[in-house]
Amino acid sequence: MKVRDIMADNVICISHKATLKDAHELMQTRGVRHLPVISENDGTLIGVLTHKKMISAVMTMINKYGTDALARKERGQLIEDLMATDFQKLTEDEPLNIVVEYFIDNKLGCLPVIDGENKVIGIVTSSDFVKLCAHLLNK
């Protein structure tokens, strides 16, 4: 099996110029925990924002400024200052037995899938592997 067999291809991405407020609302309304971050200039993948990182930033703001100031502070925080820029990427042709090692060795929650032009075409999450495992166990 290959990455293309389990990846989600309806990926929700966010611009690096978006705010933490935008990411917070997007994660809440769309029910996602990982957002590939793309360049506004050319649409290429430049980072990843995780739910864990977003929650950490929100909690820091609440502790420092209080809940009343949260929305204002979130609007002032750019994604490009929070996103992870050192992350693993996949192509859709990578074998799953290699990919699962990335998840195990690095305790990753997601791996973006890119094409030859560094554009996001999918995402693989640890949940995708759990679903695959459930499918194989039910065979």
Side-chain angles (χ1 to χ4, degrees):
M1 292 186 81
K2 305 249 185 222
V3 164
R4 78 169 60 81
D5 298 318
I6 69 165
M7 74 179 196
D9 58 5
N10 56 342
V11 186
I12 299 161
C13 297
I14 194 163
S15 161
H16 74 290
K17 293 297 184 185
T19 67
L20 180 59
K21 181 77 173 163
D22 299 326
H24 194 164
E25 288 175 357
L26 195 56
M27 285 184 182
Q28 271 187 318
T29 60
R30 301 301 290 271
V32 296
R33 298 175 44 88
H34 311 96
L35 291 172
V37 182
I38 56 174
S39 168
E40 263 187 19
N41 301 328
D42 60 8
T44 58
L45 178 67
I46 58 171
V48 174
L49 181 68
T50 64
H51 187 255
K52 183 177 179 180
K53 182 69 174 179
M54 189 267 306
I55 291 295
S56 174
V58 167
M59 292 307 297
T60 298
M61 288 175 181
I62 289 173
N63 289 334
K64 192 170 183 177
Y65 304 108
T67 55
D68 293 341
L70 179 60
R72 181 172 48 82
K73 291 295 181 181
E74 277 186 310
R75 281 192 288 280
Q77 178 68 63
L78 293 179
I79 295 301
E80 66 185 340
D81 298 327
L82 293 174
M83 68 185 186
T85 55
D86 182 25
F87 58 93
Q88 190 68 43
K89 302 176 263 192
L90 301 172
T91 65
E92 63 182 343
D93 294 324
E94 293 213 44
L96 290 183
N97 61 327
I98 302 293
V99 176
V100 75
E101 295 300 323
Y102 293 145
F103 280 98
I104 292 169
D105 294 343
N106 300 296
K107 297 181 179 24
L108 299 172
C110 77
L111 291 166
V113 183
I114 58 166
D115 64 13
E117 297 176 354
N118 202 35
K119 305 260 177 151
V120 178
I121 60 169
I123 193 166
V124 175
T125 67
S126 53
S127 296
D128 294 323
F129 276 98
V130 172
K131 289 174 191 168
L132 175 62
C133 183
H135 173 74
L136 293 173
L137 289 172
N138 289 322
K139 277 189 162 186

